[in-house]
Amino acid sequence: MKNHLTPLEPKADKATVRRHNLSLVLRAVHDAGEATRAGIATHVGLTRAAVSSLVEQLLAYGFVSEWGKTSSGQAGRPGTVLKVARSGPAGVGVEINIDYIAVCVVDLAGTDRVRLVEHVDNRGVRPSEVLARAARLTARAIGSAAEQELAPAGVHVALPGLVSGGTVRQAPNLGWQRVAVEGLFAQALLALPTLHRALPVSSDNEANVAALAELWYGAGTEGVRSFLYLTGEIGIGGALVLGGELLRGAHGFAGEIGHVVVDPQGPRCRCGARGCLEQYAGQGALLTAAGLDADAGLSGVAELQRRARRGEPSALSALERAGRQLGVVVSGAVNLFDPDAVMLGGVYRELMDWLAPAVDRELALRVVSGLWSAGGDRLRAASSLGDAARGAAGVIVREVLADPAAYAEREAG
């Protein structure tokens, strides 16, 4: 008979336990916003002496800082208030999209400290050139962060395509196939004279990290731990968060909702299939249906908004059609995964007033539970802060919070 028990982990030594507890204390301060040593000890279940020792180490590393005294209302001396430091390690997030590059630097508290955006058409441009351009913008952001006494702990790159193992397997709207993004981007960064050391580089799909930004920083997901996130750009990205965890799938490619087929006989998509949702509700399809230039980008979306406000039939018809097709596909996802909410980000957030009625009608008609026909606010506009660059920076911040000793050791080495 086979033994199906999970192999036991090796017993943790004292150094491993301390490393874990260091993260536990740092995350307690981060999550609380501000805390005292006594409050942390009560919250995490460690002794006051153990917490004090760990706090001293975090102070020495520069992860936390002291901000005066506070009284708990109980007998005894006031406690010193601890907050996550505003200087020191920070996360750098880079979003490379079809018509722009964005870089965001976030400190350990989750505050957006630097943001740079360059509007540029990346279609048909060699990946090495796009990545070099993104590296230059990233270097500028790191320079601005340095002026605020922030040091990058790493760079996370978000891209609109299938991303796995440091490689973009396929990004149809960029025209990329099997591009070793992490290696190329790290080389481009290191080649710049303003950067004097290599930084860890990681990567992911842009909708995944935008959904994480919404989970970690967005006001719209307060109290919501399971939601479907859609981002409308030139392509349509999707991500699913269940119980506070991103659903990645067996190979990391879950969430490609833009390539769910609406009509098998429909127009050819850049992915090679026919009738994908992107061909009906993507930014280019929306603009074309409204009689605007499909390549007009954000200026075209702004014009579509203006025409919709004026009540122009072509604009309203294009938005109604897109909302209807979005609703059909989203209803299927809701039936499969039963999320608490659907968040619309990217240009969909700006067009929410016109898209939402049609999406809501389809949800009420097609979601079998009936919960989505009972009104409420299950269909929501994503937070303006819930974007891919910020989420990518947040990934790095979470890595530091999970193992502050690893960052300190790397810096010391």
Side-chain angles (χ1 to χ4, degrees), residues 377-389:
D377 61 346
R378 290 176 180 268
L379 181 67
R380 305 180 184 183
S383 168
S384 59
L385 294 178
D387 62 87

Side-chain angles (χ1 to χ4, degrees), residues 4 12 17 29 34 37 45 48 64 76 81 124 144 167 170 180 242 251 267 292 308 334 368 375 379 402:
H4 295 290
V17 171
V29 177
E34 59 179 53
R37 289 167 174 79
R48 174 75 181 270
V64 299
V81 175
S144 296
T167 297
Q170 183 183 19
L242 295 177
H251 306 97
L292 296 165
V334 170
V368 295
L379 181 67

Side-chain angles (χ1 to χ4, degrees), residues 261-267 273-275 280:
V261 174
V262 175
D263 178 4
Q265 307 304 318
R274 285 190 176 275
Y280 298 90

Side-chain angles (χ1 to χ4, degrees), residues 245-260:
E245 297 290 335
L246 183 69
L247 179 69
R248 292 189 172 276
H251 306 97
F253 301 149
E256 287 295 323
I257 199 166
H259 297 290
V260 171

Side-chain angles (χ1 to χ4, degrees), residues 41 46-54:
L46 296 173
T47 66
R48 174 75 181 270
V51 168
S52 292
S53 174
L54 292 163

